[in-house]
mmCIF file of all heavy atoms in Angstrom:
data_model
loop_
_atom_site.group_PDB
_atom_site.id
_atom_site.type_symbol
_atom_site.label_atom_id
_atom_site.label_comp_id
_atom_site.label_asym_id
_atom_site.label_seq_id
_atom_site.Cartn_x
_atom_site.Cartn_y
_atom_site.Cartn_z
ATOM 1 N N ILE A 1 41.887 91.300 105.460
ATOM 2 C CA ILE A 1 43.150 90.554 105.407
ATOM 3 C C ILE A 1 43.990 90.970 104.205
ATOM 4 O O ILE A 1 45.218 91.081 104.316
ATOM 5 C CB ILE A 1 42.892 89.035 105.432
ATOM 6 C CG1 ILE A 1 42.314 88.652 106.795
ATOM 7 C CG2 ILE A 1 44.177 88.251 105.152
ATOM 8 C CD1 ILE A 1 41.847 87.227 106.901
ATOM 9 N N ALA A 2 43.370 91.238 103.071
ATOM 10 C CA ALA A 2 44.139 91.667 101.895
ATOM 11 C C ALA A 2 44.873 92.970 102.200
ATOM 12 O O ALA A 2 46.050 93.120 101.863
ATOM 13 C CB ALA A 2 43.227 91.841 100.684
ATOM 14 N N ARG A 3 44.216 93.894 102.859
ATOM 15 C CA ARG A 3 44.856 95.171 103.203
ATOM 16 C C ARG A 3 45.993 94.954 104.188
ATOM 17 O O ARG A 3 47.053 95.556 104.089
ATOM 18 C CB ARG A 3 43.817 96.145 103.777
ATOM 19 C CG ARG A 3 44.381 97.481 104.235
ATOM 20 C CD ARG A 3 44.981 98.262 103.055
ATOM 21 N NE ARG A 3 45.689 99.448 103.460
ATOM 22 C CZ ARG A 3 45.194 100.676 103.395
ATOM 23 N NH1 ARG A 3 43.968 100.879 102.955
ATOM 24 N NH2 ARG A 3 45.923 101.687 103.769
ATOM 25 N N ARG A 4 45.793 94.068 105.151
ATOM 26 C CA ARG A 4 46.852 93.796 106.121
ATOM 27 C C ARG A 4 48.061 93.156 105.456
ATOM 28 O O ARG A 4 49.204 93.486 105.777
ATOM 29 C CB ARG A 4 46.322 92.940 107.261
ATOM 30 C CG ARG A 4 45.394 93.750 108.169
ATOM 31 C CD ARG A 4 44.865 92.981 109.337
ATOM 32 N NE ARG A 4 45.935 92.452 110.160
ATOM 33 C CZ ARG A 4 45.778 91.404 110.968
ATOM 34 N NH1 ARG A 4 44.616 90.796 111.046
ATOM 35 N NH2 ARG A 4 46.775 90.982 111.700
ATOM 36 N N ALA A 5 47.830 92.241 104.514
ATOM 37 C CA ALA A 5 48.945 91.618 103.787
ATOM 38 C C ALA A 5 49.679 92.672 102.953
ATOM 39 O O ALA A 5 50.911 92.724 102.939
ATOM 40 C CB ALA A 5 48.443 90.477 102.912
ATOM 41 N N HIS A 6 48.932 93.507 102.280
ATOM 42 C CA HIS A 6 49.494 94.613 101.496
ATOM 43 C C HIS A 6 50.354 95.508 102.378
ATOM 44 O O HIS A 6 51.502 95.802 102.062
ATOM 45 C CB HIS A 6 48.324 95.394 100.880
ATOM 46 C CG HIS A 6 48.677 96.713 100.287
ATOM 47 N ND1 HIS A 6 48.763 97.879 101.043
ATOM 48 C CD2 HIS A 6 48.936 97.069 99.006
ATOM 49 C CE1 HIS A 6 49.061 98.882 100.251
ATOM 50 N NE2 HIS A 6 49.170 98.428 99.010
ATOM 51 N N ASP A 7 49.806 95.941 103.508
ATOM 52 C CA ASP A 7 50.520 96.848 104.401
ATOM 53 C C ASP A 7 51.750 96.188 105.012
ATOM 54 O O ASP A 7 52.783 96.827 105.178
ATOM 55 C CB ASP A 7 49.588 97.359 105.503
ATOM 56 C CG ASP A 7 48.522 98.302 104.970
ATOM 57 O OD1 ASP A 7 48.570 98.687 103.781
ATOM 58 O OD2 ASP A 7 47.608 98.641 105.750
ATOM 59 N N GLU A 8 51.645 94.910 105.325
ATOM 60 C CA GLU A 8 52.794 94.185 105.883
ATOM 61 C C GLU A 8 53.910 94.075 104.843
ATOM 62 O O GLU A 8 55.080 94.226 105.173
ATOM 63 C CB GLU A 8 52.374 92.798 106.356
ATOM 64 C CG GLU A 8 53.497 91.977 106.945
ATOM 65 C CD GLU A 8 54.118 92.574 108.215
ATOM 66 O OE1 GLU A 8 53.434 93.325 108.935
ATOM 67 O OE2 GLU A 8 55.306 92.273 108.474
ATOM 68 N N LEU A 9 53.546 93.836 103.608
ATOM 69 C CA LEU A 9 54.555 93.763 102.550
ATOM 70 C C LEU A 9 55.308 95.091 102.438
ATOM 71 O O LEU A 9 56.523 95.108 102.250
ATOM 72 C CB LEU A 9 53.908 93.419 101.205
ATOM 73 C CG LEU A 9 54.856 93.342 100.018
ATOM 74 C CD1 LEU A 9 55.824 92.180 100.166
ATOM 75 C CD2 LEU A 9 54.077 93.219 98.726
ATOM 76 N N LEU A 10 54.612 96.200 102.589
ATOM 77 C CA LEU A 10 55.229 97.516 102.426
ATOM 78 C C LEU A 10 55.876 98.058 103.693
ATOM 79 O O LEU A 10 56.691 98.973 103.625
ATOM 80 C CB LEU A 10 54.179 98.518 101.936
ATOM 81 C CG LEU A 10 53.513 98.197 100.606
ATOM 82 C CD1 LEU A 10 52.473 99.249 100.280
ATOM 83 C CD2 LEU A 10 54.529 98.043 99.495
ATOM 84 N N ALA A 11 55.546 97.496 104.844
ATOM 85 C CA ALA A 11 55.939 98.073 106.140
ATOM 86 C C ALA A 11 57.439 98.280 106.310
ATOM 87 O O ALA A 11 57.846 99.256 106.930
ATOM 88 C CB ALA A 11 55.405 97.207 107.277
ATOM 89 N N HIS A 12 58.242 97.405 105.791
ATOM 90 C CA HIS A 12 59.684 97.485 106.038
ATOM 91 C C HIS A 12 60.486 97.740 104.761
ATOM 92 O O HIS A 12 61.703 97.595 104.763
ATOM 93 C CB HIS A 12 60.163 96.218 106.737
ATOM 94 C CG HIS A 12 59.373 95.922 107.966
ATOM 95 N ND1 HIS A 12 59.485 96.657 109.118
ATOM 96 C CD2 HIS A 12 58.401 95.009 108.201
ATOM 97 C CE1 HIS A 12 58.647 96.197 110.021
ATOM 98 N NE2 HIS A 12 57.975 95.201 109.483
ATOM 99 N N ARG A 13 59.796 98.119 103.696
ATOM 100 C CA ARG A 13 60.469 98.407 102.436
ATOM 101 C C ARG A 13 61.169 99.761 102.527
ATOM 102 O O ARG A 13 60.715 100.652 103.236
ATOM 103 C CB ARG A 13 59.466 98.450 101.274
ATOM 104 C CG ARG A 13 58.631 97.198 101.053
ATOM 105 C CD ARG A 13 59.344 96.058 100.461
ATOM 106 N NE ARG A 13 60.088 96.374 99.261
ATOM 107 C CZ ARG A 13 60.559 95.458 98.447
ATOM 108 N NH1 ARG A 13 60.377 94.188 98.690
ATOM 109 N NH2 ARG A 13 61.250 95.815 97.383
ATOM 110 N N SER A 14 62.242 99.916 101.771
ATOM 111 C CA SER A 14 62.962 101.192 101.765
ATOM 112 C C SER A 14 62.422 102.153 100.699
ATOM 113 O O SER A 14 62.722 103.339 100.744
ATOM 114 C CB SER A 14 64.450 100.949 101.537
ATOM 115 O OG SER A 14 64.653 100.361 100.262
ATOM 116 N N GLU A 15 61.625 101.647 99.756
ATOM 117 C CA GLU A 15 61.103 102.498 98.691
ATOM 118 C C GLU A 15 60.115 103.535 99.248
ATOM 119 O O GLU A 15 59.533 103.342 100.310
ATOM 120 C CB GLU A 15 60.407 101.657 97.611
ATOM 121 C CG GLU A 15 61.323 100.712 96.879
ATOM 122 C CD GLU A 15 61.456 99.345 97.533
ATOM 123 O OE1 GLU A 15 60.890 99.126 98.626
ATOM 124 O OE2 GLU A 15 62.133 98.481 96.964
ATOM 125 N N GLU A 16 59.924 104.596 98.492
ATOM 126 C CA GLU A 16 59.050 105.684 98.913
ATOM 127 C C GLU A 16 57.657 105.619 98.312
ATOM 128 O O GLU A 16 56.733 106.288 98.789
ATOM 129 C CB GLU A 16 59.682 107.029 98.548
ATOM 130 C CG GLU A 16 61.005 107.262 99.244
ATOM 131 C CD GLU A 16 61.716 108.499 98.733
ATOM 132 O OE1 GLU A 16 61.045 109.426 98.231
ATOM 133 O OE2 GLU A 16 62.956 108.531 98.847
ATOM 134 N N GLN A 17 57.502 104.834 97.233
ATOM 135 C CA GLN A 17 56.179 104.714 96.613
ATOM 136 C C GLN A 17 55.978 103.292 96.109
ATOM 137 O O GLN A 17 56.927 102.526 95.973
ATOM 138 C CB GLN A 17 55.998 105.736 95.485
ATOM 139 C CG GLN A 17 56.956 105.590 94.336
ATOM 140 C CD GLN A 17 56.816 106.703 93.303
ATOM 141 O OE1 GLN A 17 56.056 107.658 93.476
ATOM 142 N NE2 GLN A 17 57.539 106.590 92.205
ATOM 143 N N VAL A 18 54.710 102.978 95.840
ATOM 144 C CA VAL A 18 54.339 101.650 95.365
ATOM 145 C C VAL A 18 53.441 101.803 94.145
ATOM 146 O O VAL A 18 52.586 102.683 94.092
ATOM 147 C CB VAL A 18 53.656 100.820 96.484
ATOM 148 C CG1 VAL A 18 52.445 101.530 97.064
ATOM 149 C CG2 VAL A 18 53.278 99.425 95.992
ATOM 150 N N SER A 19 53.679 100.940 93.169
ATOM 151 C CA SER A 19 52.883 100.929 91.950
ATOM 152 C C SER A 19 52.283 99.544 91.769
ATOM 153 O O SER A 19 52.842 98.542 92.233
ATOM 154 C CB SER A 19 53.765 101.280 90.740
ATOM 155 O OG SER A 19 52.989 101.365 89.561
ATOM 156 N N LEU A 20 51.145 99.492 91.106
ATOM 157 C CA LEU A 20 50.520 98.207 90.794
ATOM 158 C C LEU A 20 49.742 98.335 89.501
ATOM 159 O O LEU A 20 49.483 99.446 89.019
ATOM 160 C CB LEU A 20 49.616 97.732 91.935
ATOM 161 C CG LEU A 20 48.443 98.613 92.379
ATOM 162 C CD1 LEU A 20 47.241 98.506 91.462
ATOM 163 C CD2 LEU A 20 48.026 98.245 93.792
ATOM 164 N N LEU A 21 49.380 97.192 88.948
ATOM 165 C CA LEU A 21 48.527 97.122 87.772
ATOM 166 C C LEU A 21 47.246 96.408 88.168
ATOM 167 O O LEU A 21 47.277 95.436 88.913
ATOM 168 C CB LEU A 21 49.213 96.348 86.644
ATOM 169 C CG LEU A 21 50.535 96.886 86.136
ATOM 170 C CD1 LEU A 21 51.139 95.925 85.108
ATOM 171 C CD2 LEU A 21 50.346 98.258 85.528
ATOM 172 N N VAL A 22 46.138 96.878 87.648
ATOM 173 C CA VAL A 22 44.864 96.239 87.939
ATOM 174 C C VAL A 22 44.016 96.225 86.670
ATOM 175 O O VAL A 22 44.048 97.166 85.876
ATOM 176 C CB VAL A 22 44.120 96.964 89.096
ATOM 177 C CG1 VAL A 22 43.782 98.400 88.735
ATOM 178 C CG2 VAL A 22 42.875 96.203 89.524
ATOM 179 N N ASN A 23 43.305 95.137 86.492
ATOM 180 C CA ASN A 23 42.350 95.065 85.397
ATOM 181 C C ASN A 23 41.141 95.902 85.820
ATOM 182 O O ASN A 23 40.468 95.557 86.792
ATOM 183 C CB ASN A 23 41.944 93.617 85.137
ATOM 184 C CG ASN A 23 40.984 93.474 83.978
ATOM 185 O OD1 ASN A 23 40.276 94.412 83.613
ATOM 186 N ND2 ASN A 23 40.929 92.288 83.408
ATOM 187 N N PRO A 24 40.852 96.997 85.129
ATOM 188 C CA PRO A 24 39.761 97.860 85.569
ATOM 189 C C PRO A 24 38.392 97.185 85.495
ATOM 190 O O PRO A 24 37.435 97.661 86.111
ATOM 191 C CB PRO A 24 39.845 99.060 84.617
ATOM 192 C CG PRO A 24 40.549 98.550 83.411
ATOM 193 C CD PRO A 24 41.487 97.477 83.907
ATOM 194 N N GLN A 25 38.311 96.057 84.794
ATOM 195 C CA GLN A 25 37.046 95.324 84.690
ATOM 196 C C GLN A 25 36.896 94.247 85.764
ATOM 197 O O GLN A 25 35.811 93.684 85.919
ATOM 198 C CB GLN A 25 36.937 94.674 83.306
ATOM 199 C CG GLN A 25 37.087 95.651 82.148
ATOM 200 C CD GLN A 25 36.102 96.797 82.214
ATOM 201 O OE1 GLN A 25 34.924 96.614 82.485
ATOM 202 N NE2 GLN A 25 36.594 98.003 81.998
ATOM 203 N N ALA A 26 37.946 93.956 86.507
ATOM 204 C CA ALA A 26 37.904 92.878 87.510
ATOM 205 C C ALA A 26 36.806 93.143 88.534
ATOM 206 O O ALA A 26 36.724 94.239 89.102
ATOM 207 C CB ALA A 26 39.256 92.742 88.196
ATOM 208 N N GLU A 27 35.991 92.139 88.728
ATOM 209 C CA GLU A 27 34.883 92.228 89.691
ATOM 210 C C GLU A 27 34.048 93.489 89.450
ATOM 211 O O GLU A 27 33.650 94.182 90.382
ATOM 212 C CB GLU A 27 35.412 92.195 91.127
ATOM 213 C CG GLU A 27 36.248 90.989 91.476
ATOM 214 C CD GLU A 27 35.455 89.697 91.540
ATOM 215 O OE1 GLU A 27 34.258 89.728 91.901
ATOM 216 O OE2 GLU A 27 36.039 88.648 91.193
ATOM 217 N N ASN A 28 33.791 93.764 88.175
ATOM 218 C CA ASN A 28 32.983 94.931 87.785
ATOM 219 C C ASN A 28 33.545 96.243 88.316
ATOM 220 O O ASN A 28 32.784 97.147 88.685
ATOM 221 C CB ASN A 28 31.529 94.758 88.217
ATOM 222 C CG ASN A 28 30.857 93.610 87.493
ATOM 223 O OD1 ASN A 28 31.021 93.470 86.289
ATOM 224 N ND2 ASN A 28 30.125 92.794 88.221
ATOM 225 N N GLY A 29 34.871 96.356 88.372
ATOM 226 C CA GLY A 29 35.516 97.588 88.799
ATOM 227 C C GLY A 29 35.739 97.722 90.289
ATOM 228 O O GLY A 29 36.366 98.683 90.739
ATOM 229 N N THR A 30 35.278 96.754 91.081
ATOM 230 C CA THR A 30 35.417 96.896 92.532
ATOM 231 C C THR A 30 36.858 96.732 93.005
ATOM 232 O O THR A 30 37.232 97.300 94.028
ATOM 233 C CB THR A 30 34.504 95.925 93.301
ATOM 234 O OG1 THR A 30 34.828 94.583 92.936
ATOM 235 C CG2 THR A 30 33.032 96.191 93.006
ATOM 236 N N VAL A 31 37.682 95.970 92.281
ATOM 237 C CA VAL A 31 39.083 95.800 92.686
ATOM 238 C C VAL A 31 39.822 97.133 92.520
ATOM 239 O O VAL A 31 40.527 97.579 93.420
ATOM 240 C CB VAL A 31 39.772 94.671 91.888
ATOM 241 C CG1 VAL A 31 41.239 94.572 92.254
ATOM 242 C CG2 VAL A 31 39.063 93.340 92.131
ATOM 243 N N LYS A 32 39.610 97.794 91.393
ATOM 244 C CA LYS A 32 40.231 99.106 91.176
ATOM 245 C C LYS A 32 39.728 100.100 92.228
ATOM 246 O O LYS A 32 40.506 100.870 92.792
ATOM 247 C CB LYS A 32 39.938 99.614 89.770
ATOM 248 C CG LYS A 32 40.599 100.941 89.457
ATOM 249 C CD LYS A 32 40.355 101.339 88.000
ATOM 250 C CE LYS A 32 40.974 102.667 87.684
ATOM 251 N NZ LYS A 32 40.154 103.792 88.123
ATOM 252 N N ALA A 33 38.450 100.082 92.507
ATOM 253 C CA ALA A 33 37.883 100.982 93.524
ATOM 254 C C ALA A 33 38.476 100.703 94.904
ATOM 255 O O ALA A 33 38.705 101.631 95.687
ATOM 256 C CB ALA A 33 36.361 100.843 93.561
ATOM 257 N N LEU A 34 38.748 99.436 95.190
ATOM 258 C CA LEU A 34 39.379 99.088 96.470
ATOM 259 C C LEU A 34 40.756 99.739 96.555
ATOM 260 O O LEU A 34 41.090 100.369 97.569
ATOM 261 C CB LEU A 34 39.497 97.573 96.617
ATOM 262 C CG LEU A 34 40.213 97.082 97.872
ATOM 263 C CD1 LEU A 34 39.367 97.371 99.108
ATOM 264 C CD2 LEU A 34 40.518 95.606 97.758
ATOM 265 N N TYR A 35 41.563 99.598 95.496
ATOM 266 C CA TYR A 35 42.889 100.213 95.506
ATOM 267 C C TYR A 35 42.789 101.732 95.620
ATOM 268 O O TYR A 35 43.595 102.360 96.298
ATOM 269 C CB TYR A 35 43.692 99.814 94.264
ATOM 270 C CG TYR A 35 44.156 98.375 94.303
ATOM 271 C CD1 TYR A 35 43.965 97.531 93.221
ATOM 272 C CD2 TYR A 35 44.802 97.863 95.417
ATOM 273 C CE1 TYR A 35 44.401 96.210 93.251
ATOM 274 C CE2 TYR A 35 45.240 96.554 95.464
ATOM 275 C CZ TYR A 35 45.034 95.729 94.378
ATOM 276 O OH TYR A 35 45.468 94.437 94.419
ATOM 277 N N GLU A 36 41.803 102.329 94.978
ATOM 278 C CA GLU A 36 41.606 103.776 95.118
ATOM 279 C C GLU A 36 41.305 104.134 96.570
ATOM 280 O O GLU A 36 41.817 105.133 97.082
ATOM 281 C CB GLU A 36 40.485 104.253 94.198
ATOM 282 C CG GLU A 36 40.876 104.210 92.736
ATOM 283 C CD GLU A 36 39.742 104.430 91.773
ATOM 284 O OE1 GLU A 36 38.565 104.216 92.144
ATOM 285 O OE2 GLU A 36 40.028 104.812 90.623
#
C-alpha cells in the first residue's frame, strides 16, 4: 500500500524527478533499503 500511495501521488505530476529524505537508521536501515 505504501508503494501504491507513492506511485499514485506521482502518477499525474508534471515533474520529471522525485526527491526525498530518509533517516538511514529508521527501522535498522530497512526504510532506506525500501526506497532503494
Side-chain angles (χ1 to χ4, degrees):
I1 293 172
R3 177 63 188 259
R4 288 182 58 203
H6 168 275
D7 291 352
E8 180 63 26
L9 179 66
L10 300 178
H12 307 288
R13 303 286 309 194
S14 63
E15 296 89 356
E16 298 172 26
Q17 62 185 5
V18 56
S19 184
L20 59 79
L21 300 175
V22 62
N23 182 337
Q25 305 304 316
E27 303 291 329
N28 295 316
T30 59
V31 176
K32 182 176 179 279
L34 177 69
Y35 288 131
E36 289 170 338

